[in-house]
Amino acid sequence: RIHPEKGTYESIQIAKKAKRKLIISGLIQDKEYFENKVKPFINNEDIIYSGNSGPAERDILLGEAFALLHPISFEEPFGLSVAESMLCGTPVIAFNKGSMSELIEDTKSCFLTDNIDQAAEAVNSINLIDRKYCCERAAAKFSREKMIKGYTEVYKKILNQNNKLH
């Protein structure tokens, strides 16, 4: 989604500093933010807005991407796009906030950064990340089977606690 806390403007600044093309995809959730902080940079050459992508298009964009930029400004409880990107073998460069340190193995599967300058440096170091390892690590943590097992364990724990209360 395109919203100030998701860091679209910061992604543009990172791409410009790293001298890389940026494709922005997402639902415009904050129209004023988009009009003032994002749209002025869109030129359809090096900064492109592709609209809100469905699952098939998203998988292609993520799978073929050099990296996913995730410069969030809030304590995100989970980053679904981060997990999706990593499952495609695409490394993520994220600001180290919220759950990012739980999702990302810094400098091994992706990069955790604290600001635009560090993120731009990480873009230029992305070749140090093994895309196959990025995917394998994500699958080990976030595969359907892993998630089902985790949910089942939580449900069992809750049921056991409820049985003890009765």
Side-chain angles (χ1 to χ4, degrees):
R1 63 192 170 96
I2 297 176
H3 186 275
E5 66 188 19
K6 291 299 232 174
T8 311
Y9 173 79
E10 288 80 0
S11 292
I12 292 167
Q13 300 313 307
I14 293 164
K16 290 169 98 32
K17 275 188 175 287
K19 296 180 174 60
R20 299 291 303 201
K21 177 180 175 179
L22 177 68
I23 299 173
I24 302 165
S25 177
L27 173 72
I28 299 171
Q29 191 173 34
D30 185 322
K31 190 160 179 66
E32 184 178 335
Y33 172 76
F34 179 80
E35 291 294 326
N36 295 325
K37 297 289 246 174
V38 177
K39 192 174 180 181
F41 295 97
I42 296 171
N43 57 25
N44 295 321
E45 290 175 23
D46 58 346
I47 308 293
I48 298 164
Y49 175 60
S50 66
N52 191 22
S53 302
E57 187 180 10
R58 177 206 57 221
D59 290 350
I60 292 168
L61 282 171
L62 284 175
E64 294 178 357
F66 185 70
L68 172 73
L69 298 178
H70 197 68
I72 55 173
S73 64
F74 72 111
E75 300 297 318
E76 186 167 40
F78 186 80
L80 184 58
S81 62
V82 171
E84 290 169 337
S85 181
M86 290 167 45
L87 285 163
C88 290
T90 300
V92 178
I93 299 166
F95 282 3
N96 192 6
K97 293 190 180 295
S99 64
M100 293 305 105
S101 63
E102 296 172 45
L103 301 173
I104 290 173
E105 186 178 12
D106 189 31
T107 71
K108 296 203 187 305
S109 66
C110 302
F111 288 105
L112 290 172
T113 63
D114 293 317
N115 56 51
I116 289 169
D117 290 333
Q118 287 178 4
E121 287 177 29
V123 169
N124 293 322
S125 299
I126 209 74
N127 62 342
L128 300 175
I129 301 296
D130 180 343
R131 291 175 77 99
K132 185 175 181 217
Y133 176 76
C134 179
C135 178
E136 289 169 352
R137 182 171 185 284
K141 290 183 70 107
F142 308 116
S143 69
R144 179 180 302 142
E145 294 77 15
K146 179 74 172 171
M147 299 302 283
I148 290 170
K149 182 180 177 194
Y151 282 122
T152 304
E153 289 172 5
V154 169
Y155 294 144
K156 285 179 182 176
K157 190 175 184 179
I158 291 169
L159 289 172
N160 286 336
Q161 286 176 346
N162 285 340
N163 288 335
K164 290 177 184 177
L165 295 174
H166 294 173

